[in-house]
Amino acid sequence: MSQNFDELVRHSIAVTLENMAFMEVLPQSEETETDAEDNMSARLLILDPLQAEMVLTLPVRLLTNIIDVVHAFPEDDVVEQIRSDMLGELLNTVAGRLLNDFLPGNQAYRLGLPEVTLEQPTVCEGPSRTWEYDVEGEPLALTIVGTGFFPEDGEPA
């Protein structure tokens, strides 16, 4: 796997969380057990100029902490209402940063709409890779699937 692409992924997530919520993103140092019922995921299709899919998964606790920082500690009922929107926005921002760094020049791209779920989403077939990070002591995972990023040899294009 290309270290340069790994760094692009890490940078996309780190800059997004540092700018939005002032949170540091570290490599996950050890396996963290989390209950799948405590996680939320967002799935996003990349439509042009390459085809791929991204899935961002994180614990609801971490998402709530991000909302608390971004929205200056809103009421609990407001947090419930904006969880899906915040998770979709996080994934959109990560995807946009990664594509801006990955694609040559100022090449335009087109994204689908994020789909948020409490279950682990079903992802497309194809070569894939998952990156895991530690954010404020909580795990965060980004999975990318598709030949748009990973041609037949499995290495980033």
Side-chain angles (χ1 to χ4, degrees), residues 5-149:
F5 189 73
D6 290 345
E7 181 55 29
L8 289 178
V9 170
R10 189 207 62 77
H11 183 260
S12 299
I13 293 169
V15 168
T16 297
L17 286 171
E18 288 168 2
N19 287 346
M20 288 178 88
F22 312 104
M23 294 180 171
E24 186 176 17
V25 175
L26 302 169
Q28 194 168 26
S29 57
E30 58 187 57
E31 284 294 314
T32 306
E33 290 295 320
T34 59
D35 189 350
E37 294 177 13
D38 294 335
N39 288 338
M40 285 185 76
S41 294
R43 174 181 179 258
L44 179 70
L45 294 177
I46 300 169
L47 305 170
D48 285 316
L50 50 89
Q51 286 72 49
E53 176 179 23
M54 291 184 173
V55 176
L56 182 67
T57 302
L58 62 144
V60 171
R61 273 185 317 273
L62 176 57
L63 184 57
T64 300
N65 290 345
I66 293 168
I67 292 168
D68 285 348
V69 172
V70 171
H71 294 284
F73 301 99
E75 297 295 321
D76 287 340
D77 58 335
V78 174
V79 170
E80 289 288 329
Q81 294 172 10
I82 61 177
R83 274 190 187 138
S84 293
D85 290 342
M86 179 57 71
L87 184 54
E89 184 61 29
L90 283 171
L91 182 54
N92 268 334
T93 304
V94 168
R97 287 186 184 283
L98 181 60
L99 288 167
N100 282 333
D101 291 342
F102 181 75
L103 296 173
N106 290 327
Q107 186 171 1
Y109 54 86
R110 192 165 61 97
L111 304 174
L113 294 174
E115 300 170 22
V116 177
T117 180
L118 291 173
E119 295 91 34
Q120 185 66 24
T122 303
V123 295
C124 299
E125 294 287 321
S128 68
R129 172 84 194 272
T130 298
W131 292 264
E132 296 178 345
Y133 300 97
D134 180 287
V135 180
E136 305 288 309
E138 299 283 353
L140 177 144
L142 179 71
T143 300
I144 299 176
V145 181
T147 55
F149 284 105

